[in-house]
Each structure stands twice: as structure tokens, then as C-alpha cells.
Amino acid sequence: MSEEVKTTGPLEYRTNEGQMTILGFWIFLGAEVVLFSTLFATYAVLFGRTADAPTPAELFEPGTVLIMTFLLLTSSFTCGLAVHEMRRGSVKGLTRWMLVTLVLGLGFLGFEIYEFIHYAHEGATIQSSAYWSGFFILAGTHGLHVTLGIGWAFALLHQISKRGITNVTSRKFFIISLYWHFLDVIWIFIFTSVYLIGMVL
Amino acid sequence: MNIKALLVDGDPLIYGAMVSIGLVTVAILFLLTYFKKWGWLWREWLTTVDHKKIGIMYILSALVMLFRGGMDAMMMRVQLAFPDLGFLDSQHYNEIFTTHGTIMIIFMAMPFLIGLMNIIVPLQIGARDFAFPYLNALSFWAFFMGAMLFNISFVIGGSPDAGWTSYTPLSGAAMSPGPGQNFYLMGLQLSGIGTLATGINLMVTILKMRAPGMKLFHMPIFTWSTLVTSFIIVFAFPILTIALALLTIDRIFGSQFFTLTGEGLPMMWANLFWMWGHPEVYIVILPAFGIFSEVIATFAKKRLFGYSAMVWSMIIIALLSFLVWVHHFFTMGAGAFVNSVFSVSTMLIAVPTGVKIFNWLATLYKSKIEFSVAMLWALAFIPSFILGGVTGVMLGMAAADFQFHNSYFLIAHFHYVLIAGTVFACFAGLVYWYPKMFGHKMNERIGKWAFWFFVIGFHVCFFPQYFLGLDGMPRRLFITNVVEWLPLNVISTVGAFGMGIGFAIFVYNVYYSYRHSERETTGDSWNGNGRTLEWATTTPVPYYNFATVPHVDEIDPYVRMKKEGKTTFDEPNVKPIHMPSYTGRPFIMMAFLGLASFGLVFEWIWLAIVGLIGGIIFMILRTYDYDEGYYVSVEEIKRTERKARGL
């Protein structure tokens, strides 16, 4: 616990505490990589084990998934813009771009929920086969992360509107931006290794 | 479900346990009320974020769990020595070997070591606390709630009975209905989250909070072992999280990951479990290596031989630990090539481990050894662990493993490494750092009695089991009335009771020393032989640890500090110290998540949701928490230090 505060550099890195928290979050993301890797591995092992349920090639639709991908990738970009505004010290710019980010994230979630319900109607649920268990848990874990991230971001926006951009709030916001980009990276892998491969094979 | 269906009934042993649990609970409540200690309990312990106090709570819980796991072991040994007595029935026996294994690994070995890390690592690197003290409290309460959840299983709902490895499909909903397996899944999940958080916390603490000038290769070896262990935790525990979650979803929500229907793959559980489980073995052995290194260097009174080789061998062991998991199921039928690869990687681990053994021997070579109790544990470790290690290499040979697999040969092997490695280290570390924690030493004479009973009992108990295994006795068998096996089983049981007596003496020693041991006057308890920074603090350690943090530019910095007459109280340079505030939130939050887990165990989804909402509310409170801690004033530091140092 050092109390020295630097006067230069990005706000979130100026205190020792800020630096440590950010490093801790990077390590946490490392653990998250392992967590998702395990889910991807499980999914890969169970690929094709659809039992009596429909196959992914029958159900996956390129349209929906492309829209979801577009929404999430754009949200990652706008999240970057929000951090850029934070560095400029603009609460207004930060809030505006983060709200755009969250709307895009909510859109993504909406499509995902629609997609899951659609699959369930077609006879592919978490219970119908090992493959679909793997699919729903992998995509669902990502979706759950997005949901948590949205709630968390709203709480942070509220805090920033009350406290402005300080060493502490900028650290918090920087961390959620890392989290948001991370979810984007995971989605790229889901898009390619689940949807694209699922549609082809 | 009514209360009668909830409670386990029909077995006098369990009735006895219920009565004793009830009596102990009433006694604790009575004592706390009678001595008006409720406020003290809340203010000093339940709300603490001090790493030293959290460490003490970890170790205390671990000792209780060692008692519980030990009782399980004794009951198994009684059954195996007198199979015709009908002491346990098959169901009860299954439950007992399951809880014994799970408790010893998850709720005894890890918390014990994490407790020692909690107390010692910040002191060794010159830090005032963990990087994230709030998170540290959260980790402890996660472990504690998980442990309690797991332990109530044998009176409420029934214990898990599918072995500590919980292999599917046996542990799936079809073959193990009821709450038993859910207790296993949720108890481990909850405490596993705590362990993961501790891993991250320790890593940041060690990487970012070292004393000025202290490079990574100046760190004490126990801190190094903790850093390496933290890496393993961070990369292995998420695998367990997922494995447990998938099986939970299988059991409660009907997915098909490990089932026999829906094209599920039961053997995938074995893979996931051991991809975590093998690194887990090193999570509990590397810190043990660290403790032995410290103890051996102190009581051989010289610098640890081959410091860098020690560090690199730990790093190599950590990397290899992720590449050997298949050796736990060579007989699964992965094929000759796969088995060969994992056989070779397994045997490779013997190389860095051998390096460490020779380094310890070289440290001892031509030194003036002081045979204190801590040192005795360390010295007993070396030959005992080698026996475990060599039989491990035998098991690692895939072709031979088909003969040893699931026999008592395996049981003997892993008890030789886990007891001689981890348990001996826990005892050595506790005895060694005891004066730092409590301000007095454990009595050496009684400690030696405990040591000899335990160590001799250990060899008498487990050495015969190698031969039982070679004679074909399989593990997890409750009727063993084969005439050839009986004598060795009886001998083994005698040894187990020897260990039990040793443990009882050890616990008695805690009480005896509290009453009669001389209070420590210096911080450097072991005849001034301390080499690392934890001995530079006063005893008892002030809550801010270091009044001033010394500049460090070598291994074993305290040796030179003593020569130059430097202390951690450089009076003119004392500055106000920033400290975190105590808070009861981690405790309450984890109590809610414990409630949620309890709900999931009985598949009462409404209760799980209530608990989860409570947990989320506390997360939201946390993000709105702008408590910045407080500063300890210079006057207070000076007053404390002057008093403690007799200035």
C-alpha cells in the first residue's frame, strides 16, 4: 500500500493501487482464457454427438450470427472510443460512447436470446444431446458474461456521473473496457469455431 | 421435504456424530455468550482483512478438517483390520473414503498451506498486507462456507459416495440420485472460487509489493514456491470450475455432458478432473518444498544450496504438471502412443525433483544441524518422500501401471508423497512460524513426542500397503477378509492409530504451549538464526507489519541487517502507513452464496435464487464502496515499535 500518487501518465495508472488492480484483472482474464478454453475443448470433443436432435448445420443461420457479430465488434470499437474520451477527461463523451456500447451489447443479447428460443423450438435444447449441451453452455457462458458486463457498466456510469473521472473511477472504467474487449475476442472464436465450422460440417 | 427426510438416520455412528456436533455447537454458543465474546468475534475475526488473522483462521479450519479427515481414516482402518466386525456397511464405507479424500486435499492441505502463505509471504517480501485485502477475506470465507457445506452433508441429506475423483457416470444423476454428489460439487465450487482469487491475489502481491530493491531472484524460497503455485492455481482452477459446473448442470438441469444417454462422454470427466487434479498435486507439494527449504536453511545455519536451481526446478515442475494428467488413467485405453508420451512426461518430473533433493542434502552437508522439531519434520521428509517418489516413477511406467492401477500400491504411493510431503511440511511450517503468529514457541519436548508417534505411525501404516497392493488388494474395498491380506492390514491399522496419537499430542501441545511456553521477547525466534525478513519484525507482529521497509539487494537480507545492526524501525524515516478498513461484507456475501449453494444441493431453485440475489447485492455494494482505508499516525507507530523493542 503505497500512498505516492504520480502526476503524469493515464489517470488509472497513477496510484500503486490502480496499477495493482489492473494487473490483477489481467491475471483474472488469464484465468478466464483457461475457463473458456476448457469450454471450447469440451465443445470440440462433443462435436457431432447430436443424438436424435437436429444437427447444427440444419439450425445455424448465417444472417443472425453475422448481425450478432457485427453488433458486438462495433460495441468493442465504441468502448474503445469511450476510453479515449475518458483520457481526454470528458465525462460526457465517455457516457455517450459507453451508452452506445451498451445498446449494442443489449442488441447482441436480444439476438442471442431469440436464437436460443428458436433452437429450442426446433428441438435442440440443453437436454437433447451432448453436442447441444456443449453449445448452449459455451455460448451461454459468453452471454452470461455479456449480461454481467452490462449491469456492471451501468453501475460504473452512474458512479462516474456522480464522481467524475478520478484515479479510482478511471481505473474501474479501464478495467471494464478490458473485460468488454475480452468478451469480443471470445466471441470471435465462438463465431469461427462454433458457427462457421458448425454450418460447414 | 420434511425435516425427517432431510436428516440422515439409521446409523448409530451418525447419531453419535449428530449429538456431538449439537453439544459442541451449544458449548461454543454458551462460552461466547458467557464470556461476552460475540463482539470480539465479530470485530477481531469475522470482519478482519488482516492477512495474519486470515491466515490463522485458515490454519485453524485446516486443523479441524485434519481431525475430521483423520477420523474418517481411522474408521476405514478399523473396518479393514476387522472386516468381520460389521463396523461399517458398504454405503457408509463409500461415503467415508469419499469425504476423507476430498476433505484432506481440498479442505485440509490447501487451506493449511494457503494459511501459511497468508501469514508469511507479505512478511517475507516486506509488504504491509495483500494486494487486495478485501478479496483475501472473501477468499477465506468462500473456502470456509464451502468446507462447512461439504461437512454438513453427513448429517443432512447424506454424504457423497463416488470417491473424491467423483467419476462419471457413477456420480451422475442416474446412478447417484439425491443430494450427496451435489454437496461435493457445490462445496468444491465455492471453495475453488476462493482459491482462484487467492492465487490472483498472491501473484499481484508478490509481483508488485516487494521491498525496494528486492528482485525476483532475491525472494525467499517459500515466496518463490508461492508465486509458482499461484501460477498453477490460476491456470488449473478454472478447469475444475468448468468440470464441476458441467456436472452440476448435468445433475440438476439435465444436460448430457457426462451421461450415458444423449451421446454424452463419461470419460471426459476423468480428463477434465485430472487436467486440474494433477496440477493440484503440485499446488500442495511446491509450497511444502518451499517450507522445507526455509526450515533446512535456518537450522543448518547456512544459505540454501543451489538457490537458482531450486527456483528453476520449481518452474519446470509447474510446467510439467500440466502435461501428465493421463497417467491417472493409463488403463482407460487411450492407446500405446498416448500412454507412452504421458509416461515419459511423468518420469521427467523426477528430474527437477531430484535436483531439489540433492540441493537439500548439499545444504545439510557439513553444516551444524540443530535438531529442533521443525527440522526433524524436514529431515523425516527427505527419505520418506523419496520412497513415495520412486514408487511414483514405477506407477508412471504405463505398462507396469496396468498391474498397480487402483491397488493399494497406489494408495501407499500417494500417501507417501502427500503425507511425507504436504502434511510434514504443514507441521514443520506451523512449528517454525508459530512464534511469529502467537508470540510463543510450541513446546519442543512434547513436539518431539508428537513427531515420533506420527512419523513411525506413518511408516507402519503405509509401508505395508505397498505390499498389500502388490498382493492384489484393490482400493475402495470394504470387505477384505482374504487371509493373506489380514496381517498387513492389522499392522497398517496400528500405524494409523499411531498417527492419530501423534496428532492428538500435537494438538495438546498447542494448549500446553499457550499455557506454559515462555513468551517471545525478540522477533528472531530461532536463536537468532533467522535469515529472511519475517524474522526482522517484532513478535507479535504489529498489524502494519513493517514500520519502515528495508532496502533489499540480496538473498537472505536479514543476515546482513543483523550484522550492520539495522532493523525494520528506522525511526527518523517513519511515515504514516496506509491500511485497509475492516469490513463484515465478505463474510455476509459468502454466507449468501453459501445459502445459494445449499439451495442448489437440494435443488430448491428458489432458495438458490434468493442466495444469489443476496450475493449480487453485496457485489453492487462493493462497486459503490469508496472506503479508502485509514492512515496509522507516525506517533502511534513509534509508540508501538518502542514498546515492542524495549527502547
Side-chain angles (χ1 to χ4, degrees):
Chain A
M1 290 282 137
S2 160
E3 43 287 332
E4 287 125 53
V5 179
K6 282 189 232 153
T7 48
T8 53
L11 274 180
E12 65 269 21
Y13 282 104
R14 284 191 190 173
T15 61
N16 225 338
E17 205 194 339
Q19 292 177 21
M20 288 196 301
T21 313
I22 291 169
L23 175 66
F25 197 78
W26 273 110
I27 298 171
F28 170 74
L29 287 184
E32 287 270 78
V33 168
V34 180
L35 188 132
F36 275 102
S37 308
T38 313
L39 286 175
F40 276 109
T42 312
Y43 174 84
V45 168
L46 296 177
F47 192 84
R49 304 181 81 89
T50 43
D52 301 327
T55 63
E58 292 170 48
L59 291 189
F60 286 169
E61 291 162 9
T64 327
V65 182
L66 264 178
I67 295 171
M68 286 164 75
T69 308
F70 176 74
L71 289 175
L72 205 63
L73 293 195
T74 315
S75 84
S76 209
F77 177 66
T78 55
C79 180
L81 290 178
V83 170
H84 177 71
E85 292 293 334
M86 178 182 87
R87 294 271 161 73
R88 285 182 39 198
S90 160
V91 176
K92 220 169 146 193
L94 177 152
T95 313
R96 191 175 301 147
W97 283 117
M98 199 58 197
L99 283 177
V100 174
T101 308
L102 293 181
V103 168
L104 291 169
L106 281 170
F108 169 85
L109 267 186
F111 273 99
E112 185 155 63
I113 292 167
Y114 158 77
E115 187 205 358
F116 281 9
I117 292 173
H118 172 67
Y119 293 166
H121 280 302
E122 299 286 331
T125 68
I126 196 170
Q127 300 180 341
S128 50
S129 72
Y131 169 81
W132 287 107
S133 301
F135 168 82
F136 279 110
I137 293 301
L138 172 55
T141 306
H142 177 265
L144 185 68
H145 274 76
V146 174
T147 315
L148 286 175
I150 290 173
W152 178 15
F154 273 120
L156 286 189
L157 282 181
H158 181 226
Q159 289 168 39
I160 288 173
S161 74
K162 281 196 346 203
R163 293 169 181 273
I165 298 172
T166 66
N167 288 343
V168 180
T169 53
S170 64
R171 182 249 297 161
K172 289 185 173 196
F173 193 76
F174 183 70
I175 283 175
I176 199 171
S177 76
L178 291 179
Y179 179 79
W180 198 262
H181 294 312
F182 168 76
L183 293 184
D184 209 27
V185 173
I186 296 296
W187 179 256
I188 291 172
F189 282 96
I190 293 181
F191 178 63
T192 45
S193 66
V194 175
Y195 288 100
L196 290 188
I197 292 180
M199 277 184 265
V200 176
L201 292 180
Chain B
M1 205 184 282
N2 62 25
I3 193 79
K4 203 163 175 336
L6 209 59
L7 291 175
V8 177
D9 56 4
D11 191 317
L13 285 172
I14 291 185
Y15 285 135
M18 280 182 196
V19 171
S20 55
I21 290 175
L23 286 178
V24 171
T25 313
V26 170
I28 292 173
L29 296 180
F30 175 76
L31 288 175
L32 281 171
T33 313
Y34 186 79
F35 290 104
K36 299 193 174 64
K37 288 288 185 190
W38 284 103
W40 165 81
L41 182 70
W42 176 258
R43 279 191 309 275
E44 298 286 324
W45 298 97
L46 299 187
T47 60
T48 188
V49 292
D50 183 337
H51 69 99
K52 300 181 284 296
K53 288 191 167 173
I54 291 175
I56 287 172
M57 291 195 288
Y58 263 118
I59 291 173
L60 240 122
S61 319
L63 282 171
V64 173
M65 289 297 113
L66 182 56
F67 174 74
R68 158 85 213 264
M71 289 304 285
D72 286 348
M74 304 282 210
M75 286 159 78
M76 281 192 279
R77 283 315 323 168
V78 169
Q79 170 66 29
L80 292 177
F82 310 104
D84 296 325
L85 211 59
F87 180 60
L88 300 175
D89 59 26
S90 62
Q91 174 60 24
H92 201 172
Y93 190 81
N94 290 349
E95 292 179 4
I96 285 179
F97 71 65
T98 302
T99 52
H100 168 75
T102 314
I103 285 177
M104 286 303 200
I105 295 282
I106 307 278
F107 302 124
M108 191 289 285
M110 266 203 309
F112 209 129
L113 295 167
I114 288 177
L116 290 170
M117 291 171 184
N118 253 277
I119 298 167
I120 299 307
V121 166
L123 293 176
Q124 284 195 329
I125 59 174
R128 258 98 192 216
D129 206 317
F130 269 40
F132 314 116
Y134 184 98
L135 185 67
N136 194 25
L138 216 60
S139 298
F140 170 74
W141 291 113
F143 146 70
F144 186 80
M145 297 298 167
M148 290 303 109
L149 185 68
F150 187 85
N151 273 280
I152 57 167
S153 65
F154 80 105
V155 287
I156 303 173
S159 292
D161 56 1
W164 88 280
T165 49
S166 192
Y167 273 9
T168 51
L170 176 60
S171 61
M175 294 187 185
S176 294
Q181 282 312 118
N182 295 351
F183 270 116
Y184 170 94
L185 293 167
M186 297 317 298
L188 261 64
Q189 188 70 285
L190 201 54
S191 63
I193 292 167
T195 310
L196 179 61
T198 299
I200 296 174
N201 211 338
L202 278 164
M203 234 155 117
V204 178
T205 307
I206 295 172
L207 291 176
K208 290 294 242 184
M209 294 176 75
R210 297 192 306 279
M214 186 188 269
K215 296 202 176 90
L216 283 178
F217 274 82
H218 292 150
M219 294 195 310
I221 207 82
F222 178 61
T223 300
W224 251 116
S225 72
T226 303
L227 180 62
V228 177
T229 305
S230 305
F231 268 93
I232 308 181
I233 287 177
V234 168
F235 289 105
F237 263 77
I239 307 175
L240 178 71
T241 305
I242 289 299
L244 294 172
L246 298 186
L247 187 50
T248 309
I249 296 167
D250 259 16
R251 287 179 57 87
I252 299 181
F253 300 104
S255 62
Q256 310 271 10
F257 287 103
F258 309 117
T259 54
L260 293 167
T261 52
E263 297 196 29
L265 276 175
M267 284 318 286
M268 192 167 66
W269 169 266
N271 275 286
L272 290 177
F273 183 85
W274 286 112
M275 276 155 82
W276 159 78
H278 200 86
E280 165 67 16
V281 176
Y282 291 90
I283 292 172
V284 295
I285 203 65
L286 287 180
F289 288 168
I291 293 167
F292 290 129
S293 303
E294 300 282 355
V295 169
I296 286 173
T298 302
F299 294 105
K301 303 185 187 87
K302 58 195 237 203
R303 218 181 105 170
L304 187 68
F305 184 88
Y307 172 90
S308 338
M310 284 298 216
V311 172
W312 282 110
S313 58
M314 280 195 287
I315 294 171
I316 292 168
I317 290 175
L319 295 177
L320 285 174
S321 77
F322 283 91
L323 305 172
V324 298
W325 78 90
V326 171
H327 73 212
H328 293 273
F329 41 89
F330 278 143
T331 51
M332 187 213 271
F337 177 72
V338 172
N339 278 359
S340 306
V341 169
F342 282 92
S343 188
V344 171
S345 64
T346 301
M347 285 188 264
L348 269 181
I349 291 191
V351 177
T353 316
V355 168
K356 298 186 79 69
I357 298 275
F358 282 111
N359 279 338
W360 287 314
L361 294 179
T363 311
L364 292 169
Y365 181 65
K366 282 194 176 174
S367 64
K368 282 206 183 92
I369 299 173
E370 187 185 329
F371 290 95
S372 68
V373 174
M375 186 63 159
L376 285 176
W377 286 110
L379 293 177
F381 148 76
I382 297 176
S384 313
F385 189 81
I386 290 174
L387 274 170
V390 169
T391 49
V393 176
M394 291 168 71
L395 282 157
M397 289 185 277
D401 182 67
F402 278 70
Q403 195 64 35
F404 305 136
H405 187 78
N406 265 359
S407 74
Y408 261 73
F409 191 83
L410 168 76
I411 303 292
H413 154 71
F414 71 68
H415 283 93
Y416 257 85
V417 283
L418 284 172
I419 295 181
T422 309
V423 178
F424 284 15
C426 290
F427 287 152
L430 185 58
V431 171
Y432 178 58
W433 283 306
Y434 202 84
K436 264 294 118 175
M437 300 176 203
F438 299 106
H440 60 267
K441 283 183 195 145
M442 288 182 90
N443 183 288
E444 288 275 307
R445 192 173 46 85
I446 302 177
K448 280 180 188 165
W449 278 102
F451 167 79
W452 285 112
F453 262 104
F454 197 90
V455 170
I456 294 173
F458 161 71
H459 283 283
V460 173
C461 181
F462 291 104
F463 201 69
Q465 294 185 5
Y466 283 122
F467 299 95
L468 280 171
L470 294 177
D471 283 346
M473 180 169 149
R475 72 193 292 201
R476 294 173 176 170
L477 195 69
F478 94 112
I479 289 290
T480 50
N481 44 5
V482 174
V483 181
E484 289 81 7
W485 295 342
L486 208 56
L488 287 178
N489 266 320
V490 172
I491 293 172
S492 181
T493 300
V494 170
F497 277 84
M499 292 167 80
I501 295 170
F503 178 69
I505 299 174
F506 192 93
V507 173
Y508 170 70
N509 198 9
V510 171
Y511 169 76
Y512 182 89
S513 311
Y514 169 69
R515 292 296 300 270
H516 301 293
S517 269
E518 223 179 290
R519 304 298 113 161
E520 291 289 310
T521 49
T522 79
D524 196 9
S525 306
W526 298 105
N527 299 333
N529 288 324
R531 315 181 65 79
T532 41
L533 282 184
E534 76 266 32
W535 303 109
T537 59
T538 56
T539 296
V541 186
Y543 57 96
Y544 50 77
N545 293 356
F546 297 90
T548 53
V549 182
H551 189 272
V552 176
D553 52 8
E554 62 189 331
I555 301 164
D556 295 348
Y558 189 44
V559 177
R560 198 170 78 185
M561 280 173 70
K562 277 187 279 193
K563 263 189 212 142
E564 296 175 355
K566 285 186 187 156
T567 65
T568 57
F569 179 47
D570 182 8
E571 201 165 348
N573 288 323
V574 174
K575 287 189 193 119
I577 294 172
H578 180 242
M579 294 298 291
S581 322
Y582 279 18
T583 164
R585 284 188 190 162
F587 173 71
I588 302 172
M589 176 173 157
M590 280 306 157
F592 270 115
L593 292 184
L595 190 72
S597 309
F598 185 78
L600 277 180
V601 166
F602 289 96
E603 305 181 20
W604 298 336
I605 304 301
W606 61 270
L607 186 62
I609 291 173
V610 169
L612 203 60
I613 290 174
I616 289 173
I617 288 174
F618 273 84
M619 283 180 214
I620 295 172
L621 286 176
R622 175 60 178 163
T623 180
Y624 279 93
D625 179 6
Y626 279 78
D627 186 341
E628 307 236 318
Y630 64 97
Y631 281 91
V632 189
S633 70
V634 173
E635 293 78 61
E636 192 187 333
I637 298 167
K638 284 190 178 168
R639 208 178 331 118
T640 316
E641 292 288 323
R642 283 173 163 276
K643 193 168 158 237
R645 292 172 192 274
L647 293 170

